[in-house]
Amino acid sequence: MIDATTASTLSTANTSAAATSSAELQESYNSFLTLLTAQISNQDPLNPVDSTQFVSQLAQLTQVEQSIATNASLEQISAMLSTVGAMSDLQLIGRDVLVPSSQVRMTEDEFPLSYQLNAGAEDVTVRIYSQDGSLIREMPGPSTAEGEVIDVDWNRLDSVGLPVPPDTFRVEITATDAAGNDVGVTPLTRSEVTRVNFTALGPELELDNGESVLSNVVRSVL
């Protein structure tokens, strides 16, 4: 669900810049009018103040006011677009998404772990750890194909051949090239979206593996 209080706070934050500029402009207007009134009141009737300068300053203030109004409109449009984007993320609740993550929730039916490799990988090693940090299983990655989403098939047995019950695990995947140098690898997991929250950084998805990720990191919706 979406936290309406947070959404309201973000909307207010989006319009605060224009509101602050508008308040500062009003102060400038007041100062200008005070100065204009004082000069007119105290001018020499035989040598009146040249009004050209005042007209020019007033025109500049008017231009600034128009710019502030334009910025306020753009901020409102931006806020509306952000809200529309967040509302569309509501459709992800109950859906599975593929996201970069090293935390994997294994069920009775599946162990949803995948990875993507940068170019040059020759060897891949997958390590699976329990919540307390104990190494449960180490095994070679099934492929070194660059850029592909490669699924990891684990038989749910630990390093001594005993079955491992469903749980949430931390994984570590490393890759090296022919010379033994490290190659970039991105672990991926499939997880169900349980909630959508607004944050200062954008819509955030709560996942059933216990993690929270920004919606813009989602690789695919399954």
Side-chain angles (χ1 to χ4, degrees), residues 12 26 28 33 45 102 105 120 128 136 156 163 184 192-193 219:
T12 301
Q26 185 60 50
S28 296
L33 293 175
S102 58
R105 178 175 177 265
I128 302 171
I136 295 176
R156 300 164 181 264
E192 181 181 333
V193 178
R219 297 291 183 88

Side-chain angles (χ1 to χ4, degrees), residues 106-111 156 166:
M106 184 176 75
T107 66
E108 294 286 355
D109 302 317
E110 60 181 358
F111 180 70
R156 300 164 181 264

Side-chain angles (χ1 to χ4, degrees), residues 5-16 75-76 79-80 83:
T5 301
T6 308
S8 176
T9 300
L10 290 175
S11 178
T12 301
N14 286 335
T15 59
S16 62
E75 288 176 349
Q76 290 175 353
M80 287 189 296
T83 301

Side-chain angles (χ1 to χ4, degrees), residues 1-2 86 89 193-207 211-216:
M1 59 182 292
I2 288 183
D89 287 331
V193 178
T194 61
R195 179 185 173 101
V196 178
N197 296 316
F198 277 117
T199 73
L201 298 178
E204 181 184 74
L205 311 179
E206 290 187 13
L207 308 176
E211 284 191 311
S212 294
V213 300
L214 294 177
S215 62
N216 60 11

